[in-house]
């Protein structure tokens, strides 16, 4: 039934898709239906056991109204399905009031998208980019809930820099709401789970988060961004510990904390005619603590220092065809990129501490407001597969296709 | 290993590349479009950077703090030239920028008009409006904005 509705929606929008305006309320949205297949055993982000899956879609609709020339209000509802999370549950993606005093000073309050790097704010909208998956070093799907939006307030503005272009800034303060049934909660569970004690997060609390974002847009097609997010998360998780020697089981409750999480991202995008080049470098520092209420498990505190980068290129050959590609790397431990951290601890293979991807995408725009994409990934390593501790292939592939309409 | 000589060579190459890019962009030929505005607009000229800011949704106020009402002409040839000369973007890149703006709640989609006369009518009737048309299509209902 869902597939039929999706198909009908795609066909209905594809003909003549325009914004809807009802009594001054502007309505926009998008709908995406995709298909995804990965190497057997390495299921990311959809759990499909290598069989391929249509549980790969996004739907969004937003409403906005200009209350007066300086004040706007709006909200966006979003539903997504990634097989193991999302499940088309409707969520409030963003909702805020926006008061613009002048070009260089504006205020927003409510649930506001977090401006991390070049593309985080628009990461869910397939129509706004060439690729189906943005580079996972920085736009990791299992981290989306932690970096999607802040509930709080922000100030922002645009400052002319004479012949050097324009500087845009945003400062945000608030908390990052993280749903228990979302991908981030699963990701946190995976961090503190062991082979003998798989745990499920039962509570997540976010500390006050600070976000800063600076964008320098030059007059020659170049955009440079520097962003940071500073926060902490803590919570509880429960599960069952199975003694490997006796197979006896005991319940486990764990208190966990991702403390002093600092993320910095430096990005550069250059647009020249039909060519778009982009590169971003990102580094994370945080401390993971797990306090297991079970004597069989050993508590730990671990300082983490990961980083990653990517370089992408996209070229639009005609009005209806664009070709893009990127190469990305992410490392669990930037001080030991060769994976010796895992090797020394004896907890896994070195290649489980990195992920390197070569990606090629074909994007077609056959009619206005309809986009079709085909994308292939060749991947070395499984660091981003933390949810699936039994991911067994070092070299694997991911194939995705997607049809999107927007209005 | 940090190598100062290699760093200097790389830095020089990047500077030369930037110079080439700036030269390429600054040698844009004379445009065949005209920027028009409602007669209530105080400004009679704008820099290219100011026009960029307006059409990217960054500059939203005129000098007298009135809210700018920006409009887009859909006519293929004029739109392409305007976007290329002023923004350095293609229509597709411009569309994607505004899709990002709208689906993140940052701005409303600018109104679009299929032909010059409809654009002129909108700008003439809407206080603080700005738009663009092909050269020679302005008339007396609107004022012309010079590009500094």
């Amino acid at each position: 039934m869902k597939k039929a509705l999706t198909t009908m929606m795609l066909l209905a929008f594809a003909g003549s898709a325009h914004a809807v305006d009802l009594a001054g309320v502007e309505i926009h949205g998008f709908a995406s239906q995709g298909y995804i297949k990965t190497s057997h055993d390495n299921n990311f982000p959809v759990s499909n056991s290598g069989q391929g899956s249509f549980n790969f879609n996004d739907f969004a609709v937003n409403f906005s109204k200009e209350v007066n020339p300086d004040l706007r209000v709006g909200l966006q509802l979003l539903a997504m399905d990634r097989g193991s999370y999302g499940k088309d549950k409707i969520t409030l993606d963003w909702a805020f009031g926006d008061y613009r005093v002048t070009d260089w000073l504006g205020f927003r309050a409510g649930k506001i998208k977090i401006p991390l790097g070049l593309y985080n704010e628009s990461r869910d909208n397939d129509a706004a980019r060439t690729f189906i998956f943005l580079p996972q070093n920085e736009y990791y799907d299992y981290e989306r809930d932690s970096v999607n939006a802040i509930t709080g307030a922000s100030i922002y503005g645009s400052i002319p820099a004479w012949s050097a272009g324009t500087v845009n800034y945003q400062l945000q303060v608030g908390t990052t709401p993280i749903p228990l049934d979302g991908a981030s909660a699963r990701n946190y569970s995976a961090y503190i789970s062991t082979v003998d004690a798989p745990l499920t997060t039962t509570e997540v609390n976010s500390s006050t988060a600070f976000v800063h974002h600076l964008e320098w847009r030059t007059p020659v097609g170049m955009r440079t961004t520097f962003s940071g997010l500073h926060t902490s998360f803590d919570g509880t998780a429960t599960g069952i510990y199975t003694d490997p020697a006796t197979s006896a089981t005991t319940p486990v409750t764990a208190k966990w904390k991702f403390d002093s999480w600092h993320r910095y991202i430096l990005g550069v995008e250059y647009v020249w005619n039909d060519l778009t080049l982009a590169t971003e470098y990102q580094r994370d520092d945080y401390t993971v603590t797990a306090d297991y209420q079970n004597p069989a498990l050993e508590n730990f505190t671990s300082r983490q220092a990961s980083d990653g980068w990517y370089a992408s290129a996209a070229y639009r050959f005609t009005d209806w065809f664009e070709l893009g590609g990127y190469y990305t790397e992410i490392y669990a431990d930037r001080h030991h990129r060769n994976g010796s951290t895992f090797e020394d601890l004896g907890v896994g293979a070195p290649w489980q501490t990195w992920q390197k991807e070569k990606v090629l995408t074909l994007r077609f725009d056959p009619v206005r407001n309809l986009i079709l994409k085909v994308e292939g990934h060749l991947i070395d390593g499984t660091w981003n597969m933390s949810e699936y501790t039994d991911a067994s292939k070092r070299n694997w592939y991911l194939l995705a296709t997607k049809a999107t309409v927007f209005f | 290993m940090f190598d100062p000589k290699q760093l200097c060579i790389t830095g020089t190459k990047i500077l030369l590349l930037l110079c080439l890019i700036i030269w390429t962009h600054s040698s844009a030929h004379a445009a065949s479009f005209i920027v028009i505005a409602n007669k209530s607009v105080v400004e009679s000229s704008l820099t290219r950077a100011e026009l960029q800011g307006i059409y990217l949704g960054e500059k939203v106020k005129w000098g007298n703090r009135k809210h700018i009402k920006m409009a887009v002409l859909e006519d293929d040839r004029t739109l392409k030239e305007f976007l290329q000369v002023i923004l350095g973007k293609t229509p597709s890149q411009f569309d994607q920028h505004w899709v990002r703006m709208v689906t993140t709640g940052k701005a409303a989609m600018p109104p679009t008009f299929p032909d010059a006369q409809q654009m002129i009518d909108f700008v003439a009737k809407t206080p603080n409006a700005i738009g663009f048309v092909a050269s020679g299509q302005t008339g007396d209902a609107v004022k012309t904005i010079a590009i500094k």
Side-chain angles (χ1 to χ4, degrees), chain A residues 231-383:
Chain A
T231 189
S232 297
F233 307 109
D234 64 69
T236 55
T238 60
I240 301 291
Y241 168 71
T242 305
D243 189 313
T246 64
S247 297
T249 57
T250 50
V252 179
T253 299
K255 289 184 177 175
W256 57 267
K257 187 162 191 178
F258 281 67
D259 199 18
S260 305
W261 186 28
H262 301 286
R263 167 168 288 186
Y264 294 98
I265 299 171
L266 184 63
V268 181
E269 180 193 70
Y270 175 59
V271 176
W272 187 52
N273 294 326
D274 291 300
L275 177 68
T276 302
L277 303 172
T279 184
E280 292 189 86
Y281 173 76
Q282 160 234 339
R283 61 189 287 174
D284 285 0
D285 290 281
Y286 53 93
T287 301
V288 185
T289 303
D291 179 8
Y292 300 104
Q293 313 293 306
N294 187 310
L297 293 161
E298 194 172 336
N299 297 338
F300 70 86
T301 296
S302 173
R303 188 70 192 151
Q304 305 286 310
S306 65
D307 73 349
W309 68 277
Y310 76 87
S312 70
Y315 190 80
R316 184 164 281 258
F317 288 89
T318 69
D319 286 345
W320 54 269
F321 175 60
E322 189 170 319
L323 178 68
Y326 63 80
Y327 178 74
T328 181
E329 292 184 353
I330 183 168
Y331 296 95
D333 184 350
R334 63 174 180 269
H335 304 303
H336 302 89
R337 294 180 196 278
N338 61 1
S340 57
T341 312
F342 268 23
E343 207 165 27
D344 293 346
L345 290 170
V347 296
W351 47 266
Q352 288 176 306
T353 66
W354 69 66
Q355 193 155 316
K356 305 170 187 180
E357 297 188 37
K358 296 169 196 150
V359 178
L360 190 69
T361 307
L362 309 179
R363 169 178 164 150
F364 303 92
D365 295 56
V367 294
R368 194 160 192 191
N369 301 90
L370 171 65
I371 300 160
L372 307 172
K373 296 180 186 178
V374 182
E375 184 169 289
H377 295 232
L378 290 175
I379 307 166
D380 170 12
T382 58
W383 170 241

Side-chain angles (χ1 to χ4, degrees), chain A residues 86-166:
Chain A
K87 301 188 185 300
D88 287 329
K89 182 182 167 188
I90 295 171
T91 58
L92 186 64
D93 190 33
W94 53 260
F96 58 85
D98 185 339
Y99 182 66
R100 190 76 177 255
V101 181
T102 186
D103 289 341
W104 57 268
L105 185 63
F107 300 96
R108 293 181 182 127
K111 188 174 184 183
I112 312 157
K113 298 288 267 190
I114 293 176
L116 276 179
L118 294 167
Y119 309 116
N120 190 60
E121 288 172 301
S122 60
R123 61 185 291 161
D124 298 319
N125 189 350
D126 189 66
R129 60 174 181 267
T130 307
F131 309 107
I132 292 176
F133 283 102
L134 285 166
Q136 292 291 296
N137 74 296
E138 182 178 330
Y139 303 102
Y140 180 33
D141 268 25
Y142 277 87
E143 245 173 30
R144 178 195 172 275
D145 298 334
S146 308
V147 298
N148 175 54
I150 198 166
T151 301
S154 80
I155 62 171
Y156 71 98
S158 185
I159 303 167
W162 298 278
S163 59
T166 303

Side-chain angles (χ1 to χ4, degrees), chain B residues 2-14:
Chain B
F2 178 72
D3 182 350
K5 187 182 171 188
Q6 191 58 42
L7 188 68
C8 287
I9 292 169
T10 307
T12 307
K13 283 179 183 173
I14 291 170

Side-chain angles (χ1 to χ4, degrees), chain B residues 48-106:
Chain B
R48 183 168 160 261
E50 287 172 320
L51 272 170
Q52 272 187 351
I54 290 172
Y55 275 87
L56 292 177
E58 295 167 352
K59 178 175 173 57
V60 297
K61 302 266 187 167
W62 293 114
N64 59 6
R65 302 189 68 176
K66 297 290 184 186
H67 194 79
I68 298 170
K69 298 279 186 188
M70 175 264 282
V72 176
L73 181 68
E74 282 183 324
D75 167 64
D76 242 20
R77 191 171 165 184
T78 311
L79 174 67
K80 275 183 183 168
E81 185 168 10
F82 176 81
L83 293 179
Q84 191 56 54
V85 172
I86 300 300
L87 297 179
K89 288 187 183 296
T90 64
S92 160
Q93 291 158 354
F94 183 68
D95 282 352
Q96 286 187 32
H97 173 82
W98 278 97
V99 164
R100 282 188 202 130
M101 294 290 277
V102 168
T103 53
T104 55
K106 288 181 166 181

